[in-house]
Amino acid sequence: MPRLTRFQKIRQSRPFLLIALTVLVLLILLLNNGKEVFNGGNATQLMNRLSYQGLFVTAMACLLMSGGFDFSIASQAALCTIFFADFVTFYPNVPWIVFALVVMAMAACMGLINAFFSQVLNLMPFICTIGMSSVWLGVANWYSRGLAKAVNVQSFSAVASSRLFNSPIPLTFVFMILVIVLYSLLLKYTRFGRSVMVAGGNPTAARLAGLDPRKIKTALYVNASVIAVIAGLIYTAQQRSAATGGLPQATPEMRGLTSSMLGGVSFMGGAGGLTGAFFGIILIETLAYSLTIMNLPAWFVLFVNGMLLVVALTVDSVATKTRMRRLGIRSSGAGGMVMPGMSR
């Protein structure tokens, strides 16, 4: 078989396909509603959405690559930002960054709790984290009484309003890009990053190599919770308030899951990268925001989001079977499937 050139590898890669689809979507929108969709204000709003959605994708993709899953990170972010709003209100003389670190520590504890259920008690993470999502959201509603908490701290709000060299590009968007680049480098060039892929792809081989998949996944559960709260703080700075009905209703976990799988991250772990996941969320957010601007019915937006998830699952299933066939591994069918995070 002839070796592919670098250009051929790029052309056949998942990120290239997603870029092509994004450009196609933009061209279609340009031909139909160009003036309505394409302007500086809408571009800034889209980048604002990507600023926190991209961080959720980073958290979700890293966890998926290890074979884990956490459906509660948006609820964790909602609870922590509500506490943050009260902290900065009750203690106005304390720099807000101190309380940001406090709620990040709270998030780390929540990640440890989820890791305990999935890695120590060996509960199915897809189910138990859905349950924990309701727990965190229930606590948030009890504490806030269902009311939004205003955040009137100018220096904190400036985090969302700052622009790169007076351009339409928000600094939070640049921060998100830097985070994705950093995690991409860590996953590709560090021992821990390679351990993540081994633990997700073949936990038995990881144990034989002296690795502990449970410790690796525990670290990534904590990491996902902390990144989610950082994303929640960015969202709070944009809205200038914290509420239980903000992030959870935006379902960033589902968008993170869909964009990760569209970008080549396997639902079963052990494959993928953040580059594809990043272009996946760009495609999803560009399409969703454009449909909203065009005042299309809400049911149509839900329909498109659902179809994207089904397509992502289908592509992931085909890619997984192809990879197993190349390795000479027989699929045991749906009954033999191991859900993400379960011991294998």
Side-chain angles (χ1 to χ4, degrees):
M1 180 180 296
R3 295 184 62 181
L4 297 177
T5 65
R6 182 178 293 273
F7 176 75
Q8 288 174 325
K9 289 180 179 178
I10 293 174
R11 191 178 62 186
Q12 296 179 14
S13 65
R14 197 76 63 85
F16 182 84
L17 174 61
L18 293 174
I19 294 172
L21 287 174
T22 303
V23 171
L24 178 62
V25 169
L26 292 175
L27 286 175
I28 294 173
L29 294 171
L30 180 61
L31 292 173
N32 287 279
N33 299 80
K35 293 182 179 179
E36 186 177 353
V37 175
F38 294 96
N39 58 62
N42 287 343
T44 300
Q45 287 298 318
L46 178 59
M47 285 187 283
N48 280 332
R49 289 173 60 155
L50 285 168
S51 296
Y52 61 87
Q53 291 285 7
L55 292 178
F56 276 107
V57 169
T58 303
M60 184 65 73
C62 290
L63 199 50
L64 281 171
M65 281 183 248
S66 73
F69 188 86
D70 193 343
F71 205 82
S72 69
I73 50 179
S75 298
Q76 294 177 38
L79 176 58
C80 289
T81 53
I82 286 172
F83 278 115
F84 173 83
D86 271 354
F87 288 153
V88 296
T89 301
F90 296 151
Y91 305 99
N93 296 324
V94 179
W96 64 264
I97 190 68
V98 174
F99 297 125
L101 293 173
V102 170
V103 295
M104 287 166 64
M106 291 172 55
C109 294
M110 295 179 188
L112 284 173
I113 292 173
N114 286 350
F116 172 78
F117 286 128
S118 65
Q119 302 305 307
V120 178
L121 298 185
N122 204 31
L123 302 181
M124 188 178 292
F126 189 87
I127 303 301
C128 76
T129 56
I130 288 178
M132 290 307 300
S133 176
S134 296
V135 170
W136 303 132
L137 203 55
V139 173
N141 276 290
W142 166 77
Y143 178 78
S144 65
R145 298 180 182 179
L147 303 175
K149 304 273 187 178
V151 182
N152 298 315
V153 180
Q154 189 62 34
S155 59
F156 177 68
S157 299
V159 170
S161 59
S162 300
R163 299 290 181 262
L164 180 66
F165 304 127
N166 296 320
S167 68
I169 303 175
L171 282 180
T172 51
F173 180 78
V174 177
F175 171 75
M176 181 270 294
I177 295 291
L178 292 175
V179 169
I180 289 180
V181 170
L182 174 62
Y183 273 81
S184 297
L185 294 174
L186 289 174
L187 288 170
K188 188 172 182 179
Y189 295 109
T190 67
R191 181 181 178 184
F192 179 77
R194 292 188 290 270
S195 300
V196 169
M197 303 303 284
V198 174
N202 194 332
T204 302
R207 284 188 287 268
L208 292 174
L211 302 174
D212 189 338
R214 294 191 175 188
K215 286 185 179 180
I216 293 171
K217 292 178 185 179
T218 297
L220 289 173
Y221 273 103
V222 173
N223 174 74
S225 297
V226 172
I227 293 180
V229 167
I230 295 174
L233 289 171
I234 291 175
Y235 181 82
T236 301
Q238 292 174 357
Q239 303 296 320
R240 299 195 175 191
S241 66
T244 57
L247 276 174
Q249 288 185 357
T251 61
E253 302 101 338
M254 291 304 298
R255 292 182 183 243
L257 174 64
T258 304
S259 59
S260 295
M261 290 192 298
L262 281 174
V265 178
S266 174
F267 187 67
M268 303 309 299
L274 284 178
T275 303
F278 170 67
F279 287 113
I281 193 63
I282 288 180
L283 172 63
I284 291 172
E285 285 298 321
T286 300
L287 183 58
Y289 190 62
S290 301
L291 293 176
T292 302
I293 292 174
M294 293 166 64
N295 294 319
L296 291 172
W299 67 263
F300 186 74
V301 178
L302 289 173
F303 172 81
V304 171
N305 288 335
M307 284 303 300
L308 281 173
L309 180 57
V310 172
V311 169
L313 283 168
T314 303
V315 171
D316 177 62
S317 176
V318 172
T320 300
K321 290 179 180 178
T322 302
R323 188 168 63 249
M324 292 174 66
R325 187 166 57 249
R326 287 176 178 175
L327 294 173
I329 303 173
R330 286 189 176 183
S331 174
S332 57
M337 179 177 289
V338 181
M339 292 297 291
M342 295 291 285
S343 297
R344 287 183 284 182

